[in-house]
């Protein structure tokens, strides 16, 4: 940070944490309509942007994540009520009644009795009124059958109208200006902001200020304004982040999750047990904007530290945000974060101009911890080249041990970490054999993954002996398919295929070429067919062996139902 005058300052790019915080700060300020000058690796701003900053801070999060909040789930129910009223409840059936009761029990009553909502109601002076409404709200009696429902529909309709009247009152209060302001703020604090920092201001369990806007203003904003207006000539210390003079070392980084530490309790973290890590109040304010620099879905977050220049970094991360949140009313999953990353990288055309040799750092937040990856140009190009194959994996997955896993996430996770996919290919093919009912993917998807893995290995110098004029993968898959056809026609038995498949997969998993070829030769002897010459390439190196072997297996293990002639 550097001073450009009495009322103007400049922030420059730094490490990933600072860059994410600056991105968040810019997002908040620009969202409020204020203008900021962005130049190359820095941003210049007037101190006027700090006016009503606490209002701007929460407004950004509310407008960005509004439709993901529990508040929205509550107030948006008004559309359901209006739909029933417009039809005079003609479209109400037993299933509809059950859904109304689920909303009353699991949404309305649950939220109204939660501590965060009670605290918000207290701030706007509605605690007693909302408690009274919640007590009157109850489920409507559900008949056991549709026939009983039809007989009792008039009475049920009257009772639902009464409950809807109570819900409409609740929605009116919650959707008022003050209700929305404080309830959404409470939602955001615990679902978004807490991912970035904790234990200070309104997240300090011992804070005496119940109004989160005032608490944030007093702890972060007022401190920063006072610092900017102070005479710093006699300040002895320097800000650890920007180098500006500071009065003391009381502002440390301990409030930042997974990065800061309590200097009083853990003095061994610093040289000679003497802490000199402290930041100025203005940097502390910017670091409080860290959650606005990430885009969050459930317990996961993403920030792309593309620190080539400020505009570029902002553009990449805004593409991510737009991609994640573009499906209005859609269910947000961690898959959307990976999809957003892929789409953002494609939009930037990183192979061109000054970005051609630049690597990108991806910072992922998952269940309270940060994970870091450097995406080299080759990986970015791989993702772009195989965008179609990657996209087809989006809705694929499998169940194992009672849990469901996303293939899309696992493939991209390995690609980002520059890990080969052989072990994952083995798992998918093994599952296809052992638990086909738990597999929500086809062998076509496995072949797409193999194609991605093929290019990954070639990018790091592997499989140099592969003939580039031949489509080895398709040849190997075709060999597997035609061998399978030989087994299922005539008087041969399709039941032999699983046993053979298990032996071949075990050979691939253990990298045992002899076992694989022995099994394969026996198969071709059994069907009295010549062994395709595609298998000659398996002896070049281990990667070629496994690549051709798994390609063969995608054709040999086929989930389609076959017609067997007896």
């Amino acid at each position: 940070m550097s001073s450009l005058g009495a009322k103007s300052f400049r922030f420059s790019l730094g490490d990933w944490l600072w860059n994410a915080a600056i991105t968040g700060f810019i997002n908040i300020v620009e969202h409020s309509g204020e203008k900021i000058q962005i130049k190359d690796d820095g941003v210049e701003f007037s101190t006027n942007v700090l006016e009503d900053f606490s209002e701007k801070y929460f407004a950004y999060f509310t407008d960005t994540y509004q439709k993901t909040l529990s508040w929205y789930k509550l107030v948006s129910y008004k559309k359901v009520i209006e739909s029933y009223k417009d039809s005079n409840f003609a479209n109400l059936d037993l299933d509809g009644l059950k859904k109304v009761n689920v909303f009353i029990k699991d949404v309305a009553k649950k939220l109204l009795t939660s501590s965060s909502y009670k605290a918000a109601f207290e701030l706007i002076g509605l605690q007693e009124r909302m408690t009274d409404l919640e007590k009157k709200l109850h489920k409507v009696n559900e008949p056991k059958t549709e026939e009983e429902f039809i007989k009792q529909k008039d009475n049920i309709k009257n009772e639902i109208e009464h409950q809807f009247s109570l819900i409409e009152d609740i929605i009116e209060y919650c959707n008022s200006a003050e209700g929305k302001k404080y309830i959404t703020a409470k939602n955001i604090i615990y679902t978004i902001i807490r991912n970035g920092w904790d234990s200070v201001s309104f997240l300090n369990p011992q804070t005496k200020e119940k109004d989160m806007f005032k608490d944030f203003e007093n702890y972060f904003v007022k401190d920063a304004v006072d610092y900017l207006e102070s005479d710093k000539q006699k300040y002895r210390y320097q800000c650890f982040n920007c180098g500006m003079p500071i009065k003391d070392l009381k502002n440390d980084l301990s409030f930042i999750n997974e990065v800061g530490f309590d200097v009083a309790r853990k003095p061994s973290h610093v040289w000679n047990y003497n802490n000199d890590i402290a930041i100025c109040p203005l940097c502390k304010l910017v670091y409080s904007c860290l959650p606005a620099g990430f885009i969050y879905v459930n317990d996961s977050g993403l920030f792309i530290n593309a620190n080539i220049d400020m505009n570029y970094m902002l553009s990449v991360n805004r593409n991510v945000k737009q991609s994640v949140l573009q499906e209005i009313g859609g269910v947000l999953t961690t898959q959307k974060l990976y999809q957003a990353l892929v789409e953002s990288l494609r939009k930037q055309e990183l192979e061109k101009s000054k970005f051609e040799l630049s690597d990108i750092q991806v910072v992922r937040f998952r269940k309270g911890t940060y994970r870091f990856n450097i995406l080299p140009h080759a990986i970015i190009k791989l993702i772009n080249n195989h965008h179609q194959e990657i996209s087809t994996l989006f809705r694929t997955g499998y169940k194992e041990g009672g849990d469901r896993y996303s293939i899309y996430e696992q493939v991209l996770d390995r690609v980002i970490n520059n890990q080969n996919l052989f072990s994952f290919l083995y798992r998918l093919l093994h599952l296809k054999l052992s638990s086909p009912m738990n597999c929500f993917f086809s062998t076509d998807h496995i072949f797409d993954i193999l194609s991605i893995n093929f290019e990954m290995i070639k990018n790091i110098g592997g499989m140099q002996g592969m003939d580039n004029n031949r489509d080895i993968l398709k040849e190997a898959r075709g060999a597997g398919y035609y061998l399978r056809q030989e087994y299922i026609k005539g008087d041969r038995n399709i039941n032999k295929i699983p046993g053979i498949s298990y032996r071949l997969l075990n050979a691939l998993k253990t990298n045992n070429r002899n076992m694989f070829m022995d099994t394969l030769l026996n198969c071709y002897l059994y069907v009295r067919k010549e062994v395709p010459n595609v298998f000659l390439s398996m002896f070049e190196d281990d990667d070629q062996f496994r690549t051709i072997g798994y390609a063969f297996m995608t054709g040999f293990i086929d989930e389609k139902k076959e017609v067997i002639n007896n």
Side-chain angles (χ1 to χ4, degrees), residues 226-292:
D226 290 346
Y227 172 75
L228 292 173
E229 295 175 352
S230 65
D231 181 3
K232 306 174 188 62
Q233 291 183 359
K234 296 183 179 179
Y235 288 177
R236 298 173 48 204
Y237 305 99
Q238 283 187 328
C239 174
F240 179 78
N241 182 65
C242 68
M244 291 289 285
I246 54 178
K247 184 178 181 179
D248 49 46
L249 302 174
K250 70 176 183 178
N251 289 321
D252 53 47
L253 297 171
S254 60
F255 70 102
I256 303 176
N257 294 336
E258 295 295 308
V259 176
F261 62 94
D262 190 329
V263 296
R265 295 183 179 181
K266 298 180 179 179
S268 60
H269 283 32
V270 290
W271 173 251
N272 204 27
Y273 297 87
N274 186 19
N275 178 56
D276 59 353
I277 300 175
I279 54 176
C280 67
L282 189 56
C283 286
K284 182 176 73 171
L285 174 63
V286 174
Y287 275 124
S288 74
C289 303
L290 177 66

Side-chain angles (χ1 to χ4, degrees), residues 390-451:
I390 292 171
S391 297
T392 62
L393 302 174
F394 187 71
R395 300 189 184 282
T396 60
Y398 59 91
K399 283 184 179 179
E400 194 173 35
D403 296 322
R404 180 162 182 161
Y405 298 92
S406 164
I407 292 175
Y408 183 84
E409 280 186 47
Q410 294 197 56
V411 168
L412 277 176
D413 193 53
R414 285 168 169 80
V415 169
I416 290 171
N417 284 306
N418 207 17
Q419 298 174 342
N420 74 56
L421 297 160
F422 286 129
S423 61
F424 190 56
L425 288 164
Y426 170 82
R427 172 183 286 184
L428 295 181
L429 286 166
H430 192 276
L431 281 169
K432 205 69 180 167
L433 283 170
S434 60
S435 305
M437 297 301 293
N438 291 327
C439 297
F440 311 106
F441 59 88
S442 69
T443 50
D444 289 337
H445 294 123
I446 300 176
F447 188 76
D448 287 339
I449 297 170
L450 184 62
S451 300

Side-chain angles (χ1 to χ4, degrees), residues 77-85 164 167-168 171:
Y77 198 74
K78 187 173 179 66
K79 294 178 182 178
V80 177
I81 296 174
E82 289 173 350
S83 174
Y84 278 120
K85 285 186 173 182
F164 277 0
I167 294 171
E168 284 179 312
I171 291 174

Side-chain angles (χ1 to χ4, degrees), residues 457-469:
I457 294 172
K458 291 192 75 174
N459 285 344
I460 59 174
M463 294 191 288
Q464 294 299 312
M466 193 77 80
D467 187 351
N468 293 326
N469 296 320

